[in-house]
Amino acid sequence: MQRIAMLGGGFIGRFYAESIHGQRSRDKVVAIYARRDETAKKFAADYGCDFASTDMEAVIAHPDVDMVCIALPNNIHETAVNLCAKHKKSVVCTKPLGRTAEEALRMMKTVEEAGIFAGYLEDLCYTPKFLKALDSVKNGALGRILWAKSRETHPGPHSDWFWDKEQAGGGCMLDLGCHCVEIARSFIGKDVKPVEVMCWAATQVKPIDAEDHAIALVKYENGAIGQFEVSWTFRGGMDLRDEVMGTEGTIWINNFLRTGFEMFTTGRRSDGQNADGKGDNYVAEKAESTTGWLFPVGDEVNDLGYNHMFTDMFKSQEEGREPTETFYDGYVVNAVLDAAYKSAETKQWEKVILPVWRGQEGLTQQTTLVDYDEQHYLIKEEVTHDGRHKVILKDKQTGKISERDLQ
């Protein structure tokens, strides 16, 4: 049994609590810290916490607490991690780990020097569809991975602090791009170094200082490309999609919209209430309407990866091993995003700065040339609409491209 102190009683803290109490059944949030007393008391009442306080250290140090879950604004993560290290408490932290790679690296070093368990709560790397896809990739079903693309877009986050650049550290790129970068890293190989980033980012709609829309390419040392598309200006709910392309196959994933559950409602109930046609039911996270055609999510906590994520964290801590997502992973993600922010300013490819790198070194871009015969490489083989079996070839000596009908 894990006895958990939740730091933060808002939107994400409640999502986490739903998962913790619902997955393994034996784990429990026993203490809650919130910045406002009324938030702490309501959370404690809703989830049966024994201890509630606006004193963060008192909650972390409480003798009944075995693990601390950080669900706080980005600018408070490091303070919370330092207190966990001070009191030798296991810690798991929501994404992004830091506002910058420098901040994330300090947190990583803090937990490692303290010798405490630490996990990075990157839920979208634990969705059932992602885990199935990753297993296929690791088993070689797609061959060598060439391109991994991830998209997360929605109308914007729920809490005020996200929109404050100082507290959040950035806009949609830090908030959503952290998911996308880690998804692509996982498919390409987390031991493959990200080396350069080219990024476009802009503030197109929202009256904020940070970016509300961004697109980037991340070049990896082995020649693979990661790509992310993120936005706080997308209308129509939350769009979570991943694509992976390899030499032998392709995977498309839709985690949230158009997942096979569609519903239409006028919003009018049979008892005569809501006669104005405005529905009042919750549909899914960041859904913009409760009437018309809707796209509910069957099991939101599970489909977004929270259940598998916390199971991995708890089992890893109990078995004395690292979880799938660590503070080191969070630090690498922050380093990639630092390069993206710099590229958005300079309009150039910018290097990913990784003073600590624990993966492979010196990889080069791989090539896969398929011999057709002693004289030719095979470019493509196909059957045309008129029934011909055709090959396209390249001469190994002259480089000439030719085609040949086989029948």
Side-chain angles (χ1 to χ4, degrees):
M1 175 182 178
Q2 292 290 341
R3 298 177 300 176
I4 297 145
M6 185 67 67
L7 307 186
F11 178 84
I12 192 62
R14 286 177 168 270
F15 249 127
Y16 287 167
E18 296 289 336
S19 175
I20 291 167
H21 286 184
Q23 174 71 341
R24 301 199 312 170
S25 299
R26 63 182 182 269
D27 308 301
K28 181 172 172 55
V29 179
V30 298
I32 172 67
Y33 158 78
R35 291 170 293 166
R36 293 187 292 271
D37 185 60
E38 59 271 24
T39 302
K41 287 179 178 177
K42 186 175 191 320
F43 189 103
D46 289 346
Y47 295 102
C49 298
D50 301 323
F51 182 65
S53 177
T54 56
D55 183 334
M56 187 192 301
E57 186 165 8
V59 171
I60 292 171
H62 197 282
D64 289 344
V65 169
D66 302 316
M67 180 180 285
V68 176
C69 181
I70 300 173
L72 295 167
N74 299 343
N75 61 316
I76 314 176
H77 290 187
E78 187 172 13
T79 298
V81 167
N82 290 341
L83 288 172
C84 291
K86 175 182 175 181
H87 293 283
K88 301 296 183 182
K89 297 293 177 79
S90 296
V91 58
V92 290
C93 182
T94 193
K95 61 79 196 173
L97 183 58
R99 291 172 293 177
T100 64
E102 182 181 12
E103 193 171 74
L105 182 57
R106 287 198 304 266
M107 285 186 269
M108 183 189 84
K109 289 180 176 179
T110 294
V111 297
E112 290 180 351
E113 290 169 3
I116 60 174
F117 174 88
Y120 178 49
L121 299 181
E122 178 42 82
D123 59 287
L124 294 187
C125 287
Y126 289 94
T127 71
K129 291 177 183 177
F130 173 85
L131 293 174
K132 181 69 173 179
L134 184 61
D135 188 54
S136 296
V137 168
K138 288 183 175 179
N139 287 333
L142 271 61
R144 178 166 55 90
I145 301 304
L146 306 173
W147 175 41
K149 172 185 172 183
S150 184
R151 168 185 172 90
E152 180 171 4
T153 62
H154 57 59
H158 303 283
S159 300
D160 55 3
W161 66 265
F162 282 94
W163 304 92
D164 184 314
K165 189 174 181 179
E166 175 59 30
Q167 292 185 74
C172 66
M173 191 150 57
L174 190 61
D175 177 36
L176 310 180
C178 59
H179 289 302
C180 301
V181 169
E182 188 66 352
I183 288 168
R185 279 189 72 224
S186 299
F187 285 128
I188 292 168
K190 291 203 290 185
D191 61 344
V192 180
K193 183 184 287 187
V195 291
E196 288 184 294
V197 182
M198 171 62 79
C199 178
W200 167 88
T203 309
Q204 292 189 311
V205 176
K206 308 295 185 181
I208 57 174
D209 295 329
E211 76 290 344
D212 60 17
H213 192 181
I215 302 169
L217 296 175
V218 183
K219 189 185 300 182
Y220 286 78
E221 196 173 44
N222 67 349
I225 287 288
Q227 179 179 342
F228 67 75
E229 303 171 358
V230 294
S231 179
W232 283 346
T233 67
F234 175 78
R235 304 309 302 268
M238 183 160 67
D239 188 14
L240 302 176
R241 283 182 280 167
D242 305 324
E243 300 179 27
V244 194
M245 183 180 76
T247 55
E248 305 301 327
T250 302
I251 291 175
W252 294 341
I253 301 173
N254 190 325
N255 277 307
F256 221 71
L257 291 179
R258 298 298 198 276
T259 59
F261 187 172
E262 302 184 15
M263 177 178 75
F264 178 87
T265 176
T266 64
R268 299 184 182 93
R269 289 168 29 180
S270 59
D271 60 6
Q273 296 188 41
N274 294 329
D276 59 359
K278 296 179 180 179
D280 58 1
N281 293 323
Y282 177 81
V283 178
E285 180 183 344
K286 297 180 176 69
E288 290 201 274
S289 175
T290 56
T291 62
W293 278 108
L294 307 174
F295 309 100
V297 180
D299 185 347
E300 200 165 346
V301 170
N302 188 65
D303 290 348
L304 286 173
Y306 296 114
N307 288 346
H308 293 85
M309 177 179 71
F310 279 111
T311 296
D312 178 46
M313 294 296 159
F314 297 158
K315 289 183 67 176
S316 298
Q317 194 266 1
E318 291 160 6
E319 295 171 6
R321 58 177 173 84
E322 286 193 334
T324 301
E325 293 293 322
T326 66
F327 273 29
Y328 171 76
D329 292 311
Y331 145 70
V332 174
V333 168
N334 271 125
V336 172
L337 292 174
D338 280 0
Y341 276 109
K342 186 174 181 180
S343 174
E345 293 179 358
T346 65
K347 315 300 182 186
Q348 299 177 354
W349 285 94
E350 293 292 346
K351 289 185 177 181
V352 179
I353 306 301
L354 287 166
V356 177
W357 171 248
R358 295 170 178 171
Q360 298 184 71
E361 295 278 5
L363 296 179
T364 56
Q365 183 169 341
Q366 297 173 295
T367 59
T368 306
L369 300 177
V370 178
D371 289 326
Y372 181 74
D373 55 29
E374 291 186 1
Q375 185 179 352
H376 298 92
Y377 292 119
L378 175 66
I379 294 177
K380 186 181 181 184
E381 184 174 3
E382 66 180 339
V383 177
T384 64
H385 71 284
D386 56 354
R388 288 180 299 138
H389 187 183
K390 185 172 91 174
V391 291
I392 301 176
L393 307 173
K394 178 178 180 179
D395 191 289
K396 295 179 181 179
Q397 298 299 320
T398 67
K400 181 181 178 181
I401 306 296
S402 62
E403 61 182 74
R404 184 184 302 177
D405 288 345
L406 301 183
Q407 61 179 3

